[in-house]
Amino acid sequence: MLAELYGRVQEIEGFLGLESASNSPFKLAIAYFDSLESINAWRQDSEHIAAKNKARSTWLEDWQISICRIEDVYGKS
């Protein structure tokens, strides 16, 4: 499902990138956008909404969504 959503999120204007990681049972996916408008476009995407609902009802016992602003990035890349 992540692969399907990755293809879809790239179509959102302002999408900058995606990172994901899993260390069972912890899972993390981070999508980067250039504006709150872009974030809201992704939040309103019908396939994204369906995927979130399925994840909450099927795979995840606990979950949270955080919207953060990155002020600086440094270190080895």
Side-chain angles (χ1 to χ4, degrees):
M1 181 172 285
L2 182 59
E4 290 175 28
L5 289 177
Y6 184 67
R8 186 144 178 111
V9 73
Q10 290 181 53
E11 299 172 5
I12 300 292
E13 180 76 29
F15 172 74
L16 300 173
L18 180 74
E19 297 176 325
S20 64
S22 178
N23 186 2
S24 194
F26 181 78
K27 297 178 185 355
L28 174 70
I30 302 171
Y32 296 96
F33 298 91
D34 66 1
S35 68
L36 285 176
E37 291 79 18
S38 297
I39 292 169
N40 286 329
W42 180 232
R43 292 171 77 184
Q44 295 171 11
D45 180 86
S46 61
E47 289 186 36
H48 183 223
I49 292 169
K52 285 191 299 185
N53 289 338
K54 183 168 184 150
R56 292 173 186 160
S57 67
T58 306
W59 302 310
L60 304 176
E61 291 180 24
D62 190 17
W63 59 272
Q64 73 178 36
I65 296 172
S66 300
I67 299 175
C68 307
R69 181 182 181 126
I70 297 172
E71 297 292 334
D72 193 9
V73 177
Y74 58 90
K76 293 183 176 183
S77 55

